[in-house]
Amino acid sequence: MFLYFGWIGAFTLIGISAQILLLRLPRRKAGWRPGWAVPLALAALGVMRLALLCVFGVAEELEGHGFWENAATLSAHLFLGSLPALGALAVWALFRLRRRWIGALLTAAFVLVFPFFVGTANDGGSRLYGAALYDITFLHRLPEGEGQPYVTGTEFRPLHLEL
């Protein structure tokens, strides 16, 4: 299976690189903490992305669904949008913690949680994201019968299990 890098990976690499550069700078004064700047900016971008998706992008996915189905879709989009900020926070934690095993645990946790854009399904345009611990599918399936609307929503599969 070919994995695409996508916007999540690009923003995460940019955030991690910026975080490393900021943390390598010498401190100007004792109270200045550059570690929060990059994750905060990336989190703000993630929230702004969610707001723009609600206005322009996922309106079709939200139509005709109940509160909990819409909450699952918006939570999945918010989680994917916050992953670059989580990556930058993990780098900040690695710089602050001096023990190597803690760094290894944080790196392993990041690898298990970080999703890759797997691609689009041949069912009408569903978008698939996968990580080591879960799969998220933003549905956009063709209907089974003519005259019916597209099947939309979000599927979350922990440990790649069909529930």
Side-chain angles (χ1 to χ4, degrees):
M1 172 174 33
F2 179 72
L3 298 176
Y4 295 101
F5 199 58
W7 66 269
I8 297 171
F11 273 122
T12 303
L13 279 180
I14 291 168
I16 287 173
S17 302
Q19 187 75 336
I20 290 171
L21 289 174
L22 275 178
L23 291 171
R24 290 281 181 195
L25 291 175
R27 288 196 176 179
R28 293 184 204 160
K29 51 186 172 179
W32 188 63
R33 300 254 184 235
W36 290 100
V38 174
L40 221 77
L42 290 172
L45 283 174
V47 170
M48 186 171 43
R49 178 188 176 274
L50 178 66
L52 289 173
L53 279 173
C54 286
V55 172
F56 299 110
V58 296
E60 183 179 301
E61 290 181 31
L62 300 177
E63 288 178 11
H65 294 287
F67 174 77
W68 292 111
E69 292 170 331
N70 288 340
T73 300
L74 294 176
S75 298
H77 280 290
L78 183 62
F79 174 70
L80 290 175
S82 67
L83 280 174
L86 291 175
L89 274 175
V91 168
W92 182 64
L94 287 174
F95 269 82
R96 295 207 28 115
L97 302 171
R98 298 293 181 202
R99 297 183 186 134
R100 291 192 189 273
W101 62 272
I102 294 175
L105 286 175
L106 285 173
T107 303
F110 184 70
V111 167
L112 291 173
V113 172
F114 185 78
F116 289 95
F117 176 69
V118 178
T120 56
N122 291 329
D123 63 354
S126 296
R127 295 178 318 277
L128 308 167
Y129 292 89
L133 293 177
Y134 62 90
D135 287 326
I136 296 176
T137 304
F138 295 107
L139 299 173
H140 192 267
R141 288 189 183 137
L142 291 170
E144 293 179 9
E146 285 191 40
Q148 296 177 343
Y150 279 92
V151 177
T152 59
T154 303
E155 288 180 353
F156 177 76
R157 290 179 297 284
L159 300 175
H160 309 284
L161 300 173
E162 295 290 332
L163 300 176

